[in-house]
Coordinates of all heavy atoms in Angstrom, one line a residue:
K402 N 0.7 -1.9 -24.3 CA 2.1 -2.2 -24.5 C 2.9 -1.4 -23.5 O 3.9 -2.0 -23.0 CB 2.5 -1.8 -25.9 CG 3.8 -2.3 -26.4 CD 3.6 -3.6 -27.1 CE 4.9 -4.0 -27.7 NZ 5.0 -5.4 -27.8
D403 N 2.6 -0.1 -23.2 CA 3.4 0.6 -22.2 C 3.4 0.0 -20.8 O 4.4 0.0 -20.1 CB 2.9 2.1 -22.1 CG 3.1 2.9 -23.4 OD1 4.0 2.5 -24.1 OD2 2.4 3.8 -23.6
A404 N 2.3 -0.6 -20.5 CA 2.2 -1.2 -19.1 C 3.1 -2.3 -19.0 O 3.6 -2.7 -17.9 CB 0.7 -1.6 -18.8
E405 N 3.5 -3.0 -20.1 CA 4.4 -4.1 -20.0 C 5.9 -3.6 -19.8 O 6.7 -4.4 -19.4 CB 4.3 -4.9 -21.3 CG 3.0 -5.5 -21.6 CD 2.8 -6.1 -22.9 OE1 3.8 -6.1 -23.7 OE2 1.8 -6.6 -23.3
L406 N 6.1 -2.4 -20.0 CA 7.5 -1.9 -19.8 C 7.9 -1.6 -18.3 O 9.0 -1.5 -18.0 CB 7.7 -0.5 -20.6 CG 7.4 -0.6 -22.1 CD1 7.5 0.8 -22.7 CD2 8.4 -1.6 -22.7
V407 N 6.9 -1.6 -17.5 CA 7.1 -1.3 -16.0 C 6.8 -2.6 -15.3 O 5.8 -3.2 -15.4 CB 6.2 -0.2 -15.5 CG1 6.4 0.1 -14.1 CG2 6.4 1.1 -16.3
N408 N 7.8 -3.0 -14.4 CA 7.7 -4.1 -13.6 C 6.9 -3.8 -12.3 O 7.3 -2.8 -11.7 CB 9.1 -4.7 -13.2 CG 9.0 -5.9 -12.4 OD1 8.1 -6.7 -12.4 ND2 10.0 -6.1 -11.6
G409 N 5.9 -4.5 -12.0 CA 5.1 -4.1 -10.8 C 3.9 -5.0 -10.6 O 3.7 -6.0 -11.3
Y410 N 3.1 -4.5 -9.7 CA 1.8 -5.3 -9.3 C 0.6 -4.5 -9.8 O 0.6 -3.3 -9.7 CB 1.8 -5.4 -7.8 CG 2.9 -6.2 -7.2 CD1 4.0 -5.6 -6.7 CD2 2.8 -7.6 -7.0 CE1 5.1 -6.3 -6.2 CE2 3.8 -8.3 -6.4 CZ 4.9 -7.6 -6.0 OH 6.0 -8.3 -5.4
S411 N -0.4 -5.2 -10.1 CA -1.7 -4.6 -10.3 C -2.3 -4.4 -8.9 O -1.8 -4.9 -7.9 CB -2.7 -5.6 -11.0 OG -2.9 -6.7 -10.2
P412 N -3.4 -3.6 -8.7 CA -3.9 -3.4 -7.4 C -4.4 -4.7 -6.7 O -4.1 -4.9 -5.5 CB -5.2 -2.5 -7.7 CG -4.7 -1.7 -8.9 CD -4.0 -2.7 -9.7
G413 N -4.8 -5.7 -7.5 CA -5.2 -7.0 -7.0 C -4.0 -7.8 -6.5 O -4.0 -8.4 -5.5
G414 N -2.9 -7.7 -7.3 CA -1.6 -8.4 -6.9 C -1.0 -7.8 -5.7 O -0.5 -8.5 -4.8
A415 N -1.1 -6.4 -5.6 CA -0.6 -5.7 -4.4 C -1.4 -6.1 -3.2 O -0.9 -6.3 -2.1 CB -0.5 -4.2 -4.6
A416 N -2.7 -6.2 -3.4 CA -3.6 -6.6 -2.3 C -3.2 -7.9 -1.7 O -3.2 -8.1 -0.5 CB -5.0 -6.5 -2.7
A417 N -2.9 -8.9 -2.6 CA -2.6 -10.2 -2.2 C -1.3 -10.2 -1.4 O -1.1 -10.9 -0.4 CB -2.5 -11.1 -3.4
E418 N -0.3 -9.4 -1.8 CA 1.0 -9.3 -1.1 C 0.8 -8.7 0.2 O 1.5 -9.1 1.2 CB 2.0 -8.5 -2.0 CG 2.5 -9.1 -3.2 CD 3.4 -10.3 -2.9 OE1 4.3 -10.1 -2.0 OE2 3.3 -11.3 -3.5
L419 N -0.1 -7.7 0.4 CA -0.3 -7.0 1.6 C -1.3 -7.6 2.6 O -1.3 -7.3 3.7 CB -0.7 -5.5 1.3 CG 0.2 -4.6 0.6 CD1 -0.4 -3.3 0.1 CD2 1.4 -4.3 1.4
G420 N -2.1 -8.5 2.0 CA -3.1 -9.1 2.9 C -4.3 -8.3 3.1 O -4.9 -8.3 4.2
I421 N -4.6 -7.3 2.2 CA -5.7 -6.5 2.3 C -6.5 -6.6 1.0 O -6.1 -7.3 0.1 CB -5.3 -5.0 2.5 CG1 -4.5 -4.4 1.4 CG2 -4.6 -4.9 3.9 CD1 -4.1 -2.9 1.5
T422 N -7.6 -5.9 0.9 CA -8.5 -6.0 -0.3 C -7.9 -5.0 -1.4 O -7.1 -4.1 -1.1 CB -9.9 -5.5 0.0 OG1 -9.9 -4.2 0.4 CG2 -10.5 -6.4 1.1
R423 N -8.4 -5.3 -2.6 CA -8.1 -4.4 -3.7 C -8.6 -3.0 -3.5 O -7.9 -2.0 -3.8 CB -8.6 -4.9 -5.0 CG -8.3 -4.2 -6.2 CD -9.0 -4.6 -7.5 NE -10.4 -4.5 -7.4 CZ -11.1 -3.4 -7.5 NH1 -10.5 -2.3 -7.7 NH2 -12.4 -3.4 -7.3
Q424 N -9.7 -2.9 -2.8 CA -10.3 -1.6 -2.5 C -9.4 -0.9 -1.5 O -9.2 0.3 -1.5 CB -11.7 -1.7 -1.9 CG -12.7 -2.1 -3.0 CD -12.8 -3.7 -3.2 OE1 -12.0 -4.4 -2.7 NE2 -13.7 -4.1 -4.1
G425 N -8.8 -1.6 -0.5 CA -7.9 -1.1 0.4 C -6.6 -0.5 -0.3 O -6.1 0.5 0.1
V426 N -6.2 -1.2 -1.3 CA -5.0 -0.7 -2.1 C -5.4 0.6 -2.8 O -4.6 1.5 -2.7 CB -4.5 -1.8 -3.1 CG1 -3.5 -1.2 -4.1 CG2 -3.9 -3.0 -2.3
M427 N -6.5 0.6 -3.4 CA -7.0 1.8 -4.1 C -7.1 3.0 -3.1 O -6.8 4.1 -3.4 CB -8.2 1.6 -4.9 CG -8.0 0.6 -6.1 SD -6.7 1.1 -7.2 CE -7.3 2.7 -7.9
A428 N -7.7 2.7 -2.0 CA -7.8 3.8 -0.9 C -6.4 4.3 -0.5 O -6.3 5.5 -0.4 CB -8.6 3.2 0.3
A429 N -5.5 3.4 -0.3 CA -4.1 3.8 0.0 C -3.5 4.7 -1.1 O -2.8 5.7 -0.8 CB -3.2 2.6 0.3
I430 N -3.8 4.3 -2.3 CA -3.3 5.1 -3.5 C -3.9 6.5 -3.4 O -3.3 7.5 -3.6 CB -3.5 4.4 -4.8 CG1 -2.6 3.1 -4.9 CG2 -3.3 5.3 -6.0 CD1 -3.0 2.2 -6.1
N431 N -5.2 6.5 -3.3 CA -6.0 7.8 -3.3 C -5.6 8.7 -2.2 O -5.6 9.9 -2.3 CB -7.5 7.5 -3.3 CG -8.0 6.9 -4.6 OD1 -7.4 7.2 -5.7 ND2 -9.0 6.1 -4.6
R432 N -5.2 8.1 -1.0 CA -4.8 8.9 0.2 C -3.4 9.3 0.1 O -2.9 10.0 1.0 CB -5.0 8.1 1.4 CG -6.5 7.9 1.8 CD -6.6 7.1 3.1 NE -8.0 6.8 3.3 CZ -8.5 5.6 3.7 NH1 -7.6 4.6 4.0 NH2 -9.7 5.4 3.9
G433 N -2.6 8.8 -0.9 CA -1.2 9.2 -1.0 C -0.3 8.3 -0.2 O 0.8 8.7 0.0
L434 N -0.8 7.2 0.4 CA 0.0 6.4 1.2 C 0.8 5.3 0.4 O 1.8 4.8 0.9 CB -0.9 5.7 2.2 CG -1.7 6.6 3.2 CD1 -2.7 5.8 4.0 CD2 -0.8 7.4 4.0
L435 N 0.3 5.0 -0.8 CA 1.0 4.0 -1.6 C 1.2 4.7 -3.0 O 0.2 5.1 -3.6 CB 0.1 2.8 -1.7 CG 0.6 1.7 -2.6 CD1 1.9 1.1 -2.1 CD2 -0.5 0.5 -2.6
D436 N 2.4 4.7 -3.4 CA 2.7 5.2 -4.8 C 2.3 4.2 -5.8 O 2.5 3.0 -5.7 CB 4.2 5.5 -4.9 CG 4.6 6.6 -4.0 OD1 3.8 7.5 -3.7 OD2 5.8 6.6 -3.5
A437 N 1.7 4.8 -6.9 CA 1.4 3.9 -8.1 C 1.6 4.7 -9.3 O 1.6 6.0 -9.3 CB -0.1 3.5 -7.9
I438 N 1.7 4.0 -10.4 CA 1.9 4.6 -11.7 C 0.5 4.4 -12.5 O 0.1 3.2 -12.6 CB 3.0 4.0 -12.5 CG1 4.3 4.2 -11.7 CG2 3.1 4.6 -13.9 CD1 5.5 3.3 -12.2
R439 N 0.0 5.4 -13.0 CA -1.2 5.3 -13.8 C -0.9 5.3 -15.3 O -0.2 6.3 -15.8 CB -2.1 6.5 -13.5 CG -3.5 6.4 -14.2 CD -4.3 7.6 -13.7 NE -5.6 7.5 -14.3 CZ -6.1 8.4 -15.1 NH1 -5.4 9.5 -15.4 NH2 -7.3 8.2 -15.6
V440 N -1.2 4.2 -15.9 CA -0.9 4.1 -17.4 C -2.1 4.1 -18.2 O -3.0 3.2 -18.1 CB -0.1 2.8 -17.6 CG1 0.3 2.6 -19.1 CG2 1.2 2.7 -16.7
P441 N -2.4 5.1 -19.0 CA -3.6 5.2 -19.8 C -3.6 4.1 -20.9 O -2.5 3.7 -21.3 CB -3.6 6.5 -20.5 CG -2.2 7.1 -20.2 CD -1.5 6.3 -19.2
T442 N -4.7 3.6 -21.2 CA -4.8 2.5 -22.2 C -5.7 3.0 -23.4 O -6.9 3.3 -23.2 CB -5.5 1.3 -21.6 OG1 -6.8 1.6 -21.1 CG2 -4.7 0.7 -20.5
P443 N -5.0 3.2 -24.5 CA -5.8 3.8 -25.7 C -6.8 2.8 -26.2 O -7.9 3.3 -26.7 CB -4.7 4.0 -26.7 CG -3.5 3.4 -26.2 CD -3.6 3.0 -24.8
A444 N -6.6 1.5 -26.0 CA -7.6 0.5 -26.6 C -8.9 0.4 -25.7 O -9.9 0.0 -26.2 CB -6.9 -0.8 -26.7
H445 N -8.8 0.8 -24.5 CA -9.9 0.7 -23.6 C -10.1 2.0 -22.8 O -9.1 2.6 -22.5 CB -9.6 -0.5 -22.5 CG -9.4 -1.8 -23.2 ND1 -10.3 -2.5 -23.8 CD2 -8.2 -2.5 -23.3 CE1 -9.8 -3.6 -24.3 NE2 -8.5 -3.6 -24.0
P446 N -11.3 2.3 -22.4 CA -11.5 3.4 -21.5 C -10.9 3.2 -20.1 O -10.8 2.0 -19.7 CB -13.0 3.6 -21.4 CG -13.6 2.3 -21.8 CD -12.5 1.6 -22.7
G447 N -10.3 4.2 -19.5 CA -9.7 4.0 -18.2 C -8.2 3.9 -18.3 O -7.5 4.3 -19.3
C448 N -7.6 3.2 -17.3 CA -6.2 3.1 -17.3 C -5.8 1.8 -16.5 O -6.6 1.2 -15.9 CB -5.6 4.3 -16.6 SG -6.1 4.5 -14.9
Y449 N -4.5 1.5 -16.5 CA -3.9 0.5 -15.7 C -3.2 1.2 -14.5 O -2.7 2.3 -14.6 CB -2.8 -0.3 -16.4 CG -3.3 -1.3 -17.5 CD1 -3.0 -1.0 -18.8 CD2 -3.9 -2.4 -17.1 CE1 -3.4 -1.9 -19.8 CE2 -4.3 -3.3 -18.1 CZ -4.0 -3.1 -19.4 OH -4.4 -3.9 -20.4
W450 N -3.3 0.6 -13.3 CA -2.6 1.0 -12.2 C -1.4 0.0 -11.9 O -1.7 -1.2 -11.9 CB -3.4 1.1 -10.9 CG -4.4 2.3 -11.0 CD1 -5.7 2.3 -11.3 CD2 -4.1 3.6 -10.6 NE1 -6.2 3.5 -11.2 CE2 -5.3 4.4 -10.8 CE3 -2.9 4.3 -10.1 CZ2 -5.3 5.7 -10.5 CZ3 -3.0 5.6 -9.9 CH2 -4.2 6.3 -10.1
I451 N -0.2 0.5 -11.8 CA 0.9 -0.4 -11.5 C 1.6 0.1 -10.2 O 1.9 1.3 -10.1 CB 1.9 -0.4 -12.7 CG1 1.2 -0.9 -13.9 CG2 3.1 -1.2 -12.3 CD1 2.1 -0.8 -15.2
I452 N 1.8 -0.8 -9.3 CA 2.5 -0.5 -8.1 C 3.9 -1.2 -8.2 O 3.9 -2.4 -8.3 CB 1.7 -1.0 -6.8 CG1 0.4 -0.3 -6.7 CG2 2.5 -0.8 -5.6 CD1 -0.8 -1.1 -7.2
T453 N 4.9 -0.4 -8.1 CA 6.3 -1.1 -8.2 C 6.6 -1.8 -7.0 O 6.1 -1.5 -5.9 CB 7.4 0.0 -8.5 OG1 7.4 0.9 -7.4 CG2 7.1 0.8 -9.8
P454 N 7.5 -2.8 -7.1 CA 8.0 -3.5 -5.9 C 8.6 -2.6 -4.8 O 8.3 -2.8 -3.6 CB 9.0 -4.5 -6.4 CG 8.7 -4.7 -7.8 CD 8.1 -3.4 -8.3
E455 N 9.2 -1.5 -5.2 CA 9.8 -0.6 -4.3 C 8.8 0.2 -3.5 O 8.9 0.4 -2.3 CB 10.8 0.4 -5.1 CG 12.0 -0.2 -5.7 CD 11.7 -0.9 -7.0 OE1 10.6 -0.8 -7.6 OE2 12.6 -1.7 -7.5
A456 N 7.7 0.6 -4.3 CA 6.6 1.3 -3.6 C 5.9 0.4 -2.6 O 5.5 0.8 -1.5 CB 5.7 1.9 -4.7
L457 N 5.7 -0.8 -3.0 CA 5.0 -1.8 -2.1 C 5.9 -2.0 -0.9 O 5.3 -2.0 0.3 CB 4.8 -3.1 -2.9 CG 3.9 -4.1 -2.2 CD1 2.5 -3.6 -2.2 CD2 3.9 -5.4 -3.0
Q458 N 7.2 -2.2 -1.0 CA 8.1 -2.4 0.1 C 8.1 -1.2 1.1 O 8.0 -1.3 2.3 CB 9.5 -2.7 -0.3 CG 10.4 -3.0 0.8 CD 10.1 -4.3 1.5 OE1 9.8 -5.3 0.8 NE2 10.0 -4.3 2.8
A459 N 8.1 0.0 0.5 CA 8.1 1.3 1.3 C 6.8 1.3 2.1 O 6.8 1.7 3.3 CB 8.2 2.5 0.4
Y460 N 5.7 1.0 1.5 CA 4.4 1.0 2.1 C 4.3 0.0 3.3 O 3.9 0.3 4.4 CB 3.2 0.7 1.1 CG 1.9 0.7 1.8 CD1 1.2 1.9 2.1 CD2 1.2 -0.5 2.0 CE1 0.0 1.8 2.7 CE2 0.0 -0.5 2.6 CZ -0.7 0.6 2.9 OH -1.9 0.6 3.5
Q461 N 4.9 -1.2 3.0 CA 4.9 -2.2 4.1 C 5.8 -1.7 5.2 O 5.4 -1.9 6.4 CB 5.5 -3.5 3.5 CG 4.5 -4.3 2.6 CD 5.1 -5.5 2.0 OE1 6.3 -5.5 1.6 NE2 4.4 -6.6 1.9
N462 N 6.9 -1.1 5.0 CA 7.8 -0.6 6.0 C 7.1 0.5 6.9 O 7.2 0.5 8.1 CB 9.1 -0.1 5.5 CG 10.0 -1.2 4.9 OD1 9.8 -2.4 5.2 ND2 10.9 -0.8 4.0
R463 N 6.4 1.4 6.2 CA 5.7 2.4 6.9 C 4.6 1.8 7.8 O 4.3 2.2 8.9 CB 5.1 3.4 5.9 CG 6.1 4.5 5.4 CD 5.4 5.6 4.7 NE 4.5 5.2 3.6 CZ 5.0 5.0 2.3 NH1 6.3 5.2 2.1 NH2 4.2 4.7 1.4
R464 N 3.9 0.8 7.2 CA 2.8 0.2 8.0 C 3.3 -0.5 9.2 O 2.8 -0.4 10.3 CB 2.1 -0.9 7.1 CG 0.7 -0.5 6.7 CD 0.1 -1.6 5.8 NE -0.6 -2.5 6.5 CZ -1.1 -3.6 6.0 NH1 -0.8 -4.0 4.8 NH2 -1.8 -4.5 6.8
K465 N 4.5 -1.2 9.1 CA 5.1 -1.9 10.2 C 5.5 -0.9 11.3 O 5.3 -1.1 12.5 CB 6.3 -2.7 9.8 CG 6.0 -4.0 9.0 CD 7.2 -4.7 8.6 CE 6.9 -5.8 7.7 NZ 8.2 -6.5 7.2
G466 N 6.1 0.3 10.9 CA 6.5 1.3 11.8 C 5.3 1.9 12.5 O 5.3 2.1 13.7
T467 N 4.2 2.1 11.8 CA 2.9 2.6 12.5 C 2.4 1.6 13.5 O 2.0 2.0 14.6 CB 1.9 2.9 11.4 OG1 2.4 3.9 10.5 CG2 0.6 3.5 12.0
L468 N 2.4 0.3 13.1 CA 1.9 -0.7 14.0 C 2.8 -0.8 15.2 O 2.3 -0.9 16.4 CB 1.8 -2.0 13.3 CG 0.7 -2.1 12.2 CD1 0.8 -3.5 11.5 CD2 -0.7 -1.9 12.8
K469 N 4.1 -0.7 15.1 CA 5.0 -0.8 16.2 C 4.8 0.4 17.1 O 4.8 0.2 18.4 CB 6.5 -0.8 15.7 CG 6.9 -2.2 15.2 CD 8.3 -2.1 14.8 CE 8.7 -3.5 14.2 NZ 10.1 -3.4 13.7
A470 N 4.6 1.6 16.6 CA 4.4 2.8 17.4 C 3.0 2.7 18.2 O 3.0 3.0 19.4 CB 4.3 4.0 16.5
K471 N 2.0 2.2 17.6 CA 0.7 2.0 18.2 C 0.8 1.0 19.4 O 0.3 1.2 20.5 CB -0.4 1.5 17.3 CG -0.8 2.6 16.3 CD -1.9 2.2 15.4 CE -2.4 3.2 14.5 NZ -3.4 2.8 13.6
L472 N 1.6 -0.1 19.1 CA 1.8 -1.1 20.1 C 2.6 -0.6 21.3 O 2.2 -0.8 22.5 CB 2.5 -2.4 19.5 CG 2.7 -3.5 20.5 CD1 1.4 -4.1 21.0 CD2 3.4 -4.7 19.8
A473 N 3.6 0.2 21.0 CA 4.4 0.8 22.1 C 3.6 1.7 22.9 O 3.7 1.8 24.2 CB 5.6 1.5 21.5
A474 N 2.7 2.5 22.3 CA 1.9 3.5 23.0 C 0.9 2.7 23.9 O 0.6 3.1 25.1 CB 1.1 4.4 22.0
L475 N 0.3 1.6 23.4 CA -0.6 0.8 24.2 C 0.1 0.2 25.4 O -0.4 0.2 26.6 CB -1.2 -0.3 23.4 CG -2.3 0.2 22.4 CD1 -2.7 -1.0 21.5 CD2 -3.5 0.7 23.1
K476 N 1.3 -0.3 25.2 CA 2.1 -0.9 26.3 C 2.4 0.2 27.4 O 2.3 0.0 28.6 CB 3.4 -1.5 25.8 CG 3.2 -2.8 25.1 CD 4.5 -3.4 24.6 CE 4.3 -4.7 23.9 NZ 5.6 -5.3 23.5
K477 N 2.8 1.4 26.9 CA 3.1 2.5 27.8 C 1.9 2.9 28.6 O 1.9 3.1 29.8 CB 3.6 3.7 27.0 CG 4.0 4.8 27.9 CD 4.6 6.0 27.1 CE 4.9 7.2 28.0 NZ 5.4 8.3 27.2
K478 N 0.7 3.0 28.0 CA -0.5 3.3 28.6 C -0.9 2.3 29.7 O -1.3 2.6 30.8 CB -1.6 3.5 27.6 CG -2.9 4.0 28.2 CD -3.9 4.3 27.1 CE -5.2 4.9 27.6 NZ -6.2 5.1 26.6
K479 N -0.7 1.0 29.3 CA -1.0 -0.1 30.2 C -0.1 0.0 31.5 O -0.5 -0.2 32.6 CB -0.9 -1.4 29.5 CG -1.3 -2.6 30.4 CD -1.2 -3.9 29.6 CE -1.6 -5.1 30.5 NZ -1.5 -6.3 29.8
A480 N 1.2 0.2 31.2 CA 2.2 0.3 32.3 C 1.9 1.5 33.2 O 2.0 1.4 34.4 CB 3.6 0.4 31.7
E481 N 1.5 2.6 32.7 CA 1.2 3.8 33.5 C -0.1 3.5 34.3 O -0.2 3.9 35.5 CB 0.9 5.0 32.6 CG 2.2 5.5 32.0 CD 1.9 6.6 31.0 OE1 0.8 6.9 30.6 OE2 2.9 7.2 30.5
G482 N -1.0 2.8 33.7 CA -2.3 2.4 34.4 C -2.1 1.5 35.6 O -2.6 1.6 36.7
S483 N -1.2 0.5 35.4 CA -0.9 -0.4 36.5 C 0.1 0.1 37.5 O 0.2 -0.4 38.6 CB -0.4 -1.8 35.9 OG 0.8 -1.5 35.2
A484 N 0.8 1.2 37.2 CA 1.7 1.8 38.2 C 0.9 2.7 39.2 O 1.5 3.0 40.3 CB 2.7 2.7 37.5
K485 N -0.3 3.0 38.9 CA -1.1 3.9 39.8 C -1.6 3.1 41.0 O -1.8 2.0 41.1 CB -2.2 4.5 39.1 CG -1.7 5.6 38.1 CD -2.9 6.2 37.4 CE -2.4 7.2 36.3 NZ -3.5 7.8 35.6

């Protein structure tokens, strides 16, 4: 019932939004790159993981920034190599 009170994605739903695997989502959570809420379930062993839309958006923005930085570094390296 508590899991229903929070709007968000399951790890599988977040994976579909990000275009990565569920295991990739869990790895990002475990590394601290993606924020998630752990909701214990009294009826079943274990818990639910919920990723809020805000956390998913923040992760996507950080990923885009990282990719842009890597691309810029590659372009700079290529330009330096052809300038010699």
